[in-house]
């Protein structure tokens, strides 16, 4: 695997790491690798072997423990009790477990924060909406702030509805001027949201109460008169068991049909019930873009002229590619992997959106290991791109014509997952985190050359300078160079004797980037190493990297790991 990896060869599971941690918390800072201590663990109870033979494709396949599938049988229950008693005898006897639990409680109480969505206040003082979960709060609270440095006010706190955390704020969308918030809440982990609307200034709830809005997509009219939104069917409208499918797009006008019963169907009649439409509306309310996800690797774009009575028309070509779009000043800015494994951006007039009229304005990056465009957003009349290079996030500002203006300097190697801003405001907000730094919210003026400013952060006793992060590249079985991050205490001697937790994921075009894992610090603080490998099957290098770890090439993922 190369000389650069000789100091990190040990992969251990979480159970075997417990003895190492408990020795460290008990005061032994030179705790032995967990594998050395395995011999001290007593043998677990043994299950009765009673083979059941199944025949598959001409082969006999024995199942020695089929009897354990009957969870209600007295024998199975007795065996489970023995296993639980064995587990407790091992874990409860380890020294330092109380200290581990105490430290983990501290680390897991760091909280969470997301970047704000600005509203263009009519009085000239903008408002900002964001969620923040403090310490041991069960659910995040939606706050509103007037002015960039104003005082926060809790607008929606579902913790007041259920102290045990069983009511959740699933999603929310602010109107452009921030006058209203449409949001969805659900109970008992169902995620079956009910839509409500709240007036920001007064906290007054409007009569709207629309159910079946699970994971809704929503786009407000610019005059706050109503919104387009997605909703699932009610029982009886579809076959039993199909209520979680058949998502469609409706239009709701405030004050009319508060339960949404009479809302006009805009899109989705006859659509494959598995497909998921979402909505985006132009700043002048004329153009409604409907993105329809048809799985992980294909989507289609539909466009509706709201000034006419015509139905939405598909503007993509039905090919196995992914598309998303911003619509601004009568043009669509389309992000796609069509003809570009690492994605590119094309522009087309909304009046003439035929595929033949699409014009490339930002090409894909050069080279198989070039940067991947993950997201684009119109902010302050500019195109802001969130890209990923070697699993690290970058922010680049372009003109609407595709001219590169500048790259926004980030604090260090890390990840950005969300961009927020308005087409008519210059301030961009984004979250940033790394392996050693919890989520911090930054703001930056896209029109100027100023650096980023901290807008909000999380309080923690972790000192990032006490740790170091190294990125290495190693050869997989077929010679492919795979990137990996390695996190440890600064100055830790890399001699092959340090217990190491290796983490990796390769699938569904998902990238594994430098995220903050608070619980890992209970491991790092006592000499453990944390490694994250960027396996094929993910999205780190675009669609070609994704395809190299799927279907008949899935073995590459395990070879990489």
């Amino acid at each position: 695997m190369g000389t650069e990896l000789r100091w990190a060869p040990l992969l251990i599971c979480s159970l075997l790491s417990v003895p190492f941690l408990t020795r460290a918390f008990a005061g032994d800072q030179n705790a032995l690798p967990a594998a050395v201590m395995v011999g001290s663990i007593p043998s677990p109870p043994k299950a009765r072997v009673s083979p059941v033979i199944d025949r598959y494709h001409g082969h006999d396949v024995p199942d020695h423990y089929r009897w354990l599938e009957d969870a209600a049988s007295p024998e199975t229950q007795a065996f489970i009790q023995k296993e639980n008693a064995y587990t407790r005898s091992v874990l409860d006897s380890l020294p330092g477990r109380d200290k581990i639990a105490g430290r983990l409680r501290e680390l897991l109480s760091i909280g969470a924060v997301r970047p704000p969505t600005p509203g263009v206040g009519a009085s000239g003082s903008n408002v900002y909406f964001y969620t923040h979960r403090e310490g041991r709060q069960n659910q995040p609270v939606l706050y509103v702030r007037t002015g960039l440095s104003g005082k926060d006010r809790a607008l929606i706190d579902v913790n007041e509805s259920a102290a045990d955390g069983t009511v959740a704020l699933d999603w929310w969308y602010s109107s452009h001027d921030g006058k209203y918030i449409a949001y969805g809440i659900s109970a008992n982990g169902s995620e079956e949201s009910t839509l409500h609307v709240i007036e920001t200034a007064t906290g007054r709830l409007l009569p709207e109460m629309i159910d079946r809005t699970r994971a809704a997509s929503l786009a407000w009219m610019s005059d706050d008169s109503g919104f387009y939104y997605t909703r699932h069917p009610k029982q009886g409208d579809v076959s039993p068991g199909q209520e979680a499918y058949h998502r469609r797009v409706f239009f709701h006008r405030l004050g009319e049909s508060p339960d949404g019963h009479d809302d006009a169907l805009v899109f989705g009649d006859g659509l494959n019930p598995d497909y998921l439409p979402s909505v985006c509306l132009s700043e002048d309310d004329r153009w409604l873009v409907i993105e329809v996800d048809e799985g992980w690797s294909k989507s289609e774009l539909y466009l509706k002229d709201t000034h006419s009575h015509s139905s939405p028309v598909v503007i993509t070509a039905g090919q196995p590619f992914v598309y998303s779009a911003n619509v601004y000043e009568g043009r669509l800015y389309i992000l796609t992997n069509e003809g570009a494994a690492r994605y590119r951006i094309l522009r087309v007039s909304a009046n003439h959106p035929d595929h033949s009229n699409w014009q490339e304005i930002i090409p894909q990056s050069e080279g198989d290991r070039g940067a991947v465009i993950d997201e684009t957003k119109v902010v302050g009349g500019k195109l802001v791109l969130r890209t990923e290079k070697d699993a690290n996030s970058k922010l680049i500002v372009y003109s609407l014509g595709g001219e590169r203006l500048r790259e926004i300097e980030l604090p260090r190697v890390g990840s950005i997952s969300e961009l927020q801003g308005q087409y008519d405001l210059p301030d961009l907000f984004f979250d940033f985190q790394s392996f050693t730094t919890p989520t911090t919210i930054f703001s930056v003026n896209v029109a100027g050359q100023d650096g980023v400013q901290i807008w909000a952060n999380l309080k923690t006793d972790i000192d990032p300078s006490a740790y170091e992060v190294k990125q290495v590249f190693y050869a997989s079985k077929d010679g492919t160079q795979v990137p990996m991050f390695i996190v440890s205490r600064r100055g830790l001697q890399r001699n092959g004797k340090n217990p190491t937790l290796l983490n990796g994921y390769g699938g569904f075009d998902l990238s594994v980037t430098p995220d903050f894992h608070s619980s890992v610090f209970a491991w790092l603080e006592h000499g453990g190493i944390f490694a994250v490998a960027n396996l094929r099957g993910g999205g780190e290098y675009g669609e070609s990297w994704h395809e190299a770890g799927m279907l008949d090439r899935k073995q590459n993922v395990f070879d990489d790991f």
Side-chain angles (χ1 to χ4, degrees):
M1 294 177 68
T3 56
E4 62 187 358
L5 296 184
R6 289 178 182 169
W7 44 265
L10 181 63
L11 170 63
I12 61 179
C13 73
S14 57
L15 176 61
L16 295 185
S17 68
V18 170
F20 166 77
L21 276 179
T22 53
R23 286 172 60 88
F25 273 99
D28 183 359
Q29 296 298 319
N30 297 309
L32 293 174
V36 176
M37 303 183 65
V38 171
S40 63
I41 298 177
S43 298
K46 292 183 178 181
R48 173 174 60 86
V49 175
S50 180
V52 175
I53 307 298
D54 295 309
R55 191 164 183 81
Y56 299 111
H57 309 291
H59 296 273
D60 289 337
V61 180
D63 183 347
H64 295 292
Y65 305 104
R66 182 72 57 83
W67 63 271
L68 280 169
E69 293 184 10
D70 183 2
S73 78
E75 186 180 12
T76 299
Q77 290 291 316
F79 181 74
I80 291 173
Q81 291 174 5
K82 289 180 181 178
E83 283 201 315
N84 288 339
Y86 162 74
T87 301
R88 294 263 56 92
S89 71
V90 174
L91 296 181
D92 293 347
S93 65
L94 294 172
R97 290 189 74 248
D98 290 342
K99 289 185 178 180
I100 294 175
R103 182 54 177 153
L104 284 173
R105 275 193 292 269
E106 294 174 351
L107 292 168
L108 294 173
S109 297
I110 289 175
V113 63
R114 294 183 62 180
T117 298
V120 184
S123 63
S125 183
N126 297 325
V127 291
Y128 303 87
F129 304 94
Y130 75 105
T131 56
H132 182 200
R133 182 180 62 80
E134 297 181 0
R136 299 182 183 180
Q137 277 183 319
N138 287 307
Q139 302 290 347
V141 178
L142 177 63
Y143 291 93
V144 57
R145 179 185 300 186
T146 302
L148 273 174
S149 303
K151 185 178 180 181
D152 292 339
R153 171 169 58 90
L155 185 61
I156 303 172
D157 185 357
V158 295
N159 296 291
E160 296 178 350
S161 301
D164 59 358
T166 54
V167 174
L169 175 63
D170 297 327
W171 51 263
W172 57 273
Y173 295 88
S174 69
S175 61
H176 183 67
D177 60 5
K179 182 177 181 179
Y180 296 117
I181 295 283
Y183 65 96
I185 58 174
S186 63
N188 302 316
S190 69
E191 298 182 0
E192 296 297 339
S193 308
T194 297
L195 182 154
H196 300 267
V197 178
I198 190 171
E199 188 176 51
T200 300
T202 63
R204 177 179 64 93
L205 282 175
L206 274 61
E208 274 66 21
M209 188 178 294
I210 304 174
D211 59 8
R212 296 172 282 119
T213 53
R214 178 187 180 100
S217 174
L218 188 146
W220 279 94
M221 298 283 286
S222 60
D223 63 358
D224 302 333
S225 62
F227 48 78
Y228 295 89
Y229 72 106
T230 60
R231 191 178 76 205
H232 291 274
K234 65 177 182 294
Q235 285 186 338
D237 285 352
V238 293
S239 302
Q242 288 287 304
E243 294 84 3
Y245 304 93
H246 300 273
R247 184 158 111 164
R248 299 176 179 179
V249 177
F250 295 84
F251 179 76
H252 177 78
R253 191 168 298 281
L254 289 186
E256 298 180 3
S257 183
D259 62 358
H261 178 75
D262 296 324
D263 288 349
L265 174 65
V266 176
F267 176 83
D269 199 12
L271 188 69
N272 185 314
D274 293 330
Y275 294 171
L276 297 175
S278 57
V279 292
C280 171
L281 188 63
S282 62
E283 82 286 355
D284 60 0
D285 298 337
R286 178 172 180 181
W287 302 104
L288 178 69
V289 177
I290 303 172
E291 177 187 334
V292 179
D293 291 332
E294 300 181 4
W296 287 94
S297 56
K298 184 179 184 298
S299 63
E300 300 281 11
L301 292 180
Y302 293 76
L303 183 64
K304 176 177 173 56
D305 184 351
T306 64
H307 289 187
S308 74
H309 296 291
S310 60
S311 300
V313 296
V314 63
I315 62 173
T316 42
Q319 299 298 312
F321 300 114
V322 174
Y323 305 89
S324 62
N326 290 267
V327 56
Y328 178 61
E329 292 185 339
R331 292 187 176 94
L332 278 73
Y333 297 87
I334 301 169
L335 174 63
T336 180
N337 62 352
E338 177 190 336
R342 292 174 300 283
Y343 289 81
R344 58 178 176 156
I345 297 176
L346 303 104
R347 185 177 65 179
V348 68
S349 167
N351 284 302
H352 306 284
D354 293 346
H355 192 274
S356 59
N357 294 326
W358 293 15
Q359 175 192 10
E360 180 181 87
I361 59 171
I362 302 177
Q364 75 168 334
S365 60
E366 297 180 356
D368 292 341
R369 297 298 182 98
V372 179
I373 305 176
D374 288 328
E375 181 184 2
T376 182
K377 191 174 184 67
V378 176
V379 178
K382 306 287 192 299
L383 279 177
V384 180
L385 274 61
R386 174 171 64 88
T387 70
E388 182 182 323
K389 179 69 171 71
D390 294 328
N392 297 306
S393 291
K394 306 285 185 183
L395 276 181
I396 306 172
V397 181
Y398 285 81
S399 72
L400 295 178
E403 177 189 1
R404 181 181 171 121
L405 301 178
R406 68 164 172 144
E407 180 175 341
I408 296 173
E409 185 175 354
L410 301 178
R412 59 183 62 84
V413 171
S415 302
I416 298 171
S417 62
E418 184 178 357
L419 305 180
Q420 290 292 350
Q422 295 283 14
Y423 61 85
D424 51 356
L425 292 176
D427 293 317
L428 169 73
F429 298 88
F430 61 92
D431 61 331
F432 181 86
Q433 59 181 306
S434 71
F435 287 117
T436 59
T437 307
T439 301
T440 303
I441 307 303
F442 289 97
S443 66
V444 63
N445 189 312
V446 299
Q449 295 297 321
D450 297 336
V452 299
Q453 304 292 324
I454 294 177
W455 194 83
N457 56 12
L458 299 172
K459 296 180 180 179
T460 172
D461 63 356
I462 294 172
D463 178 11
S465 66
Y467 302 91
E468 58 184 353
V469 179
K470 181 180 181 181
Q471 188 178 38
V472 299
F473 294 81
Y474 65 89
S476 187
K477 184 177 182 179
D478 63 358
T480 298
Q481 290 293 305
V482 179
M484 179 169 69
F485 294 101
I486 300 165
V487 190
S488 67
R489 271 192 333 210
R490 187 172 298 279
L492 183 71
Q493 184 179 2
R494 295 169 178 164
N495 55 13
K497 298 180 180 180
N498 301 299
T500 300
L501 288 170
L502 174 62
N503 182 41
Y505 184 81
F508 296 98
D509 197 25
L510 298 176
S511 298
V512 181
T513 54
D515 292 340
F516 182 76
H517 303 275
S518 59
S519 60
V520 169
F521 283 87
W523 178 255
L524 297 174
E525 288 170 349
H526 294 277
I529 290 176
F530 181 55
V532 178
N534 299 105
L535 315 176
R536 279 175 284 184
E540 286 84 352
Y541 294 110
E543 186 59 23
S544 58
W545 191 257
H546 172 213
E547 293 178 353
M550 61 185 293
L551 300 175
D552 59 326
R553 288 149 289 182
K554 194 64 183 178
Q555 184 60 40
N556 287 333
V557 182
F558 306 108
D559 292 340
D560 292 353
F561 192 69

